[in-house]
Amino acid sequence: MTNAADDEGFVVFDRVQKSYDGETLVVKDLNLSIGKGEFLTMLGPSGSGKTTCLMMLAGFETATHGEIRLGGENINNVPPHKRGIGMVFQNYALFPHMTVGENLAFPLEVRGMGKSEREQKVKRALDMVQMGNFINRRPAQLSGGQQQRIALARALVFDPKLVLMDEPLGALDKQLREHMQFEIKHLHETLGITVVYVTHDQGEALTMSDRVAVFNDGRIQQLAPPDELYERPQNSFVAQFIGENNKLPGVVETLSGDKCTVRLETGEIIDATPVNVREAGQKTLVSIRPERVEFKSEMMPEGAHTIGAEVLEVIYMGDIFRTRMRVAGSEEFVMKSRNTLGQTKLVEGEKIQIGWHPQDARALDPM
Amino acid sequence: MTDVSASILTTADGKPLKAALAASQARARRKAFMLVAPLFLFVVITFVIPIGQMLFQSVYNDTFSATAPALRQWFDENPPGTEPDEAAYAALVSDLRLMREERSAGAAGTRINYDISGTRSMFTGMARKADKLEPPYKEAVLAEDKKWDNPDVWRAMRSASSPFTIDFYLAALDMTRDETGSIVGVKEGQAVYKMLFGRTLFLSALITVMCMALAFPIAHMLATLPMAKSNLLMILVLLPFWTSLLVRTTSWMVLLQSQGVVNDFLVWAGIVGDDGRIQMMYNQIGTVVAMTHILLPFMVLPLYSVMRTIPPSYVRAARSLGATSWTAFRRIYLPQTLPGIGAGALLVFILAVGYYITPALVGGADGQLISNLIAFHMQKSLNWSLAAALAALLLGGILILYWLYDRLVGIDNMKLG
Ligand SMILES: Nc1ncnc2c1ncn2[C@@H]1O[C@H](COP(=O)(O)OP(=O)(O)O)[C@@H](O)[C@H]1O
Ligand SMILES: [Mg+2]
């Protein structure tokens, strides 16, 4: 048993499917293995099945098909209270009729822990989230950020090996959210727990996670570390969902090894890296990050194709310039250039030639 | 002078700020009052005035004292316990003559009859003969009717000769006055009201508990089912509201009587023999069953409205923290439904305490509640003052309960729907 756990990861979804109504599958064939101590984020648009996956793992929904294993053991039929999984809910779910101290003592009490040990653990957990002075407050007397910390402390106080968080920062303002992201990450590192985190905020997913599983339509679209996800999206959905992307539709002209050229609908030829195109003549969508677009020829590699662009708008954003251009008939092509001392200032209506490193343009499946 | 004017805040054109504010809000206030006025008048006319009058009647009854001025004077001059002398009988005869003139002997007699039954005819009979009586009146009266010698009758007349009295409250609490005017309990076997109050409170509490036990699961289902299903269920719960109270009560009669559907079924199923049919009607079982059914929606609705606002994530959180479903229910869910339980229980209890039609129809002799006796005194014995005193005691009891509830649960925590 333990060997199996070592081999396949701490949490395993094995061909899991879920349907609520018997007509549509909300989760379609989910296979996912999460290592011990890993911080894995499920990222995806609303309705993509993230919460459902988390609820199946926590035991509040049953898998229609497939197996979920925790530490090598099938937990499909283990009731939620016996799974020993800590959980942080989106609206915190702090018990309103109990004080902060009572909220934290609750999981220890139901485990039959003695009073002195309980108090000690509660105090330690509160100190961990810097809320030691609030032990006698009621949840309603706390701000959103404070409630969030208490919910976190409550999910950790009984030393679970696995903690699930369902959009825990969704209700906080931006500044507090960023601060809490840091704290959660910090707690994860110091406690060595396994975290499964759900969010629809890509920034959050990228900054916090060891690996991110991008969900859409009940399937994992890509499972990869943040940098790989950002730089090497495997399909158009991921490319579009993570960060900003320019999309140029076209047809593969030539394909050789890890390089290809694409003829755009307006006739121009551009360089790209084939990702999921297999042969010349196939339709494709080329995606390029705005910050990888160059307009100075010395920044482009030898022999790179360039393409004409007309500047439509230059937005000053402090650290960068965001230039919107008309490229190959599309008016939504964006280029971001750093605001450095010698940066060339583009003006509206100016005609320039742009290009990029072939690695930065990814020829993906057309959507 | 200048100091004072400087300390009052004024508007730009020098009007005091408070006056300006009041003037600017006057129109809005007038409008608000106009909106409230019709209901306000309606409530005053149909609720405050009748209740006030009822409370007044429970301590004020002048049907005897208004037509007995001479007796009143004699009672004022002589302390309680004085043997009625010739002057007393002279006063009696003079008052009886007045009663004959005003045709009020019946009413006055009824008032004394409240205290001592069978005395009404003494007044009507003697008033008819009053004109023919000659002094000495004591002998003349006693010669006509020996019963006038009874000291209880004189004591009753003394107490009735003052229109303000607490005697109706004493009667409502099974108490009376002895010869010397001090308060004592009534004789064994005559006490009814305290037992009835006790029964009313007990049955109401029982009905409240039964409603709670039946309503809690239904309300929980209503609050957690998907909308379409819960709407259908809600219609079923509200169905009793849309059926006439009388129809519902009579349908319980059809079901529960000894030749009724339930007994027929039990006999058919062989659970009881044909001669052992269970008496479920015209006793307390009938009252409890029918009233539980009728009052159930008043428990379901407040519970539902509270439960609907409790997100399922609380119980889920408790479960994920290691609580069994029972612990999660008891420690997390139940405490949060308390405002609904409190509101529903208070509502059902108050309604049950004052319920009338159902116990009157299905309660028989032992299923009667205090309100049935109030109705009896209003309609049959025509002792309105006693009815008023009973009703006032009931009202007082409910107000005390309400106050206790406010102290224990807090009325702000109540949620009615
Ligand atoms: N209890 C439920 N009953 C029926 N359908 C549900 C239920 N919960 C979620 N769904 C459906 O399942 C899909 C996925 O929902 P969810 O897992 O909550 O997505 P996410 O958390 O990614 O926003 C949605 O289409 C939603 O309507
Ligand atoms: Mg969700």
Side-chain angles (χ1 to χ4, degrees), chain A residues 330-350:
Chain A
S330 158
E331 300 202 339
E332 298 299 329
F333 199 97
V334 173
M335 172 175 75
K336 286 181 186 166
S337 35
R338 291 205 303 143
N339 184 7
T340 51
L341 200 57
Q343 185 62 277
T344 317
K345 300 269 187 315
L346 297 170
V347 290
E348 253 173 66
E350 193 173 345

Side-chain angles (χ1 to χ4, degrees), chain A residues 294-312:
Chain A
E294 297 293 350
F295 65 99
K296 289 181 230 155
S297 56
E298 67 270 20
M299 302 296 288
M300 295 175 222
E302 199 78 10
H305 287 96
T306 59
I307 180 169
E310 182 189 347
V311 177
L312 296 175

Side-chain angles (χ1 to χ4, degrees), chain A residues 10-303:
Chain A
F10 185 50
V11 178
V12 176
F13 286 86
D14 188 1
R15 290 184 298 149
V16 171
Q17 293 182 315
K18 172 72 186 177
S19 171
Y20 283 107
D21 51 9
E23 284 166 16
T24 51
L25 279 174
V26 170
V27 175
K28 301 168 185 160
D29 195 32
L30 177 73
N31 291 289
L32 178 60
S33 170
I34 304 167
K36 204 163 188 134
E38 187 174 3
F39 194 118
L40 182 121
T41 297
M42 296 178 173
L43 172 69
S46 179
S48 55
K50 310 177 298 286
T51 299
T52 304
C53 288
L54 214 60
M55 288 300 162
M56 286 192 289
L57 184 50
F60 299 121
E61 295 291 351
T62 51
T64 312
H65 174 84
E67 218 178 79
I68 301 173
R69 289 191 288 275
L70 177 65
E73 280 180 59
N74 182 348
I75 55 167
N76 280 21
N77 294 316
V78 178
H81 67 278
K82 292 201 176 136
R83 296 193 181 192
I85 296 175
M87 185 145 186
V88 180
F89 290 81
Q90 178 161 13
N91 296 317
Y92 318 134
L94 295 177
F95 308 137
H97 57 294
M98 295 183 179
T99 63
V100 165
E102 288 163 347
N103 262 282
L104 262 73
F106 183 80
L108 307 176
E109 229 170 285
V110 299
R111 284 175 170 73
M113 192 178 282
K115 192 165 159 48
S116 59
E117 195 183 352
R118 223 156 59 199
E119 280 170 359
Q120 192 188 331
K121 283 209 162 203
V122 166
K123 192 173 169 332
R124 213 184 56 206
L126 280 178
D127 288 341
M128 191 169 70
V129 293
Q130 292 112 50
M131 292 287 291
N133 297 330
F134 294 84
I135 189 160
N136 289 319
R137 296 267 193 102
R138 297 242 169 200
Q141 297 166 322
L142 301 176
S143 72
Q146 289 169 334
Q147 289 184 32
Q148 170 59 52
R149 284 160 195 264
I150 300 301
L152 200 59
R154 190 179 66 177
L156 296 171
V157 70
F158 60 100
D159 301 322
K161 293 282 163 286
L162 173 64
V163 177
L164 312 182
M165 305 189 190
D166 190 358
E167 310 206 7
L169 308 180
L172 303 183
D173 59 61
K174 186 167 179 292
Q175 205 169 353
L176 202 53
R177 199 159 64 216
E178 279 165 8
H179 183 70
M180 286 306 295
Q181 285 171 11
F182 170 77
E183 287 201 13
I184 290 173
K185 188 67 193 154
H186 183 71
L187 280 173
H188 164 248
E189 275 158 12
T190 50
L191 298 177
I193 45 175
T194 311
V195 176
V196 180
Y197 191 97
V198 163
T199 182
H200 62 255
D201 178 340
Q202 42 142 326
E204 208 165 286
L206 295 181
T207 53
M208 298 174 79
S209 325
D210 295 329
R211 279 194 303 165
V212 178
V214 181
F215 273 67
N216 188 39
D217 194 25
R219 279 183 206 284
I220 294 185
Q221 303 289 331
Q222 188 170 357
L223 173 63
D227 52 346
E228 191 180 325
L229 207 61
Y230 187 82
E231 283 163 27
R232 293 190 287 282
Q234 287 303 317
N235 59 37
S236 326
F237 175 80
V238 178
Q240 210 173 339
F241 193 71
I242 311 269
E244 204 175 4
N245 245 315
N246 293 304
K247 297 175 294 279
L248 297 171
V251 175
V252 178
E253 181 87 357
T254 63
L255 181 87
S256 64
D258 59 353
K259 284 220 173 83
C260 69
T261 54
V262 174
R263 180 178 295 277
L264 300 183
E265 281 162 355
T266 43
E268 295 97 332
I269 301 268
I270 58 169
D271 299 308
T273 306
V275 177
N276 40 20
V277 289
R278 247 150 258 104
E279 54 195 21
Q282 215 180 331
K283 278 193 155 186
T284 183
L285 191 73
V286 179
S287 103
I288 309 135
R289 298 273 178 215
E291 68 272 20
R292 300 290 172 96
V293 178
E294 297 293 350
F295 65 99
K296 289 181 230 155
S297 56
E298 67 270 20
M299 302 296 288
M300 295 175 222
E302 199 78 10

Side-chain angles (χ1 to χ4, degrees), chain A residues 58-60 79-85 95 106 111, chain B residues 313-326 328-329 332:
Chain A
F60 299 121
H81 67 278
K82 292 201 176 136
R83 296 193 181 192
I85 296 175
F95 308 137
F106 183 80
R111 284 175 170 73
Chain B
S313 62
Y314 286 130
V315 168
R316 287 186 163 180
R319 300 271 282 143
S320 80
L321 292 171
T324 59
S325 48
W326 165 244
F329 171 78
I332 306 304

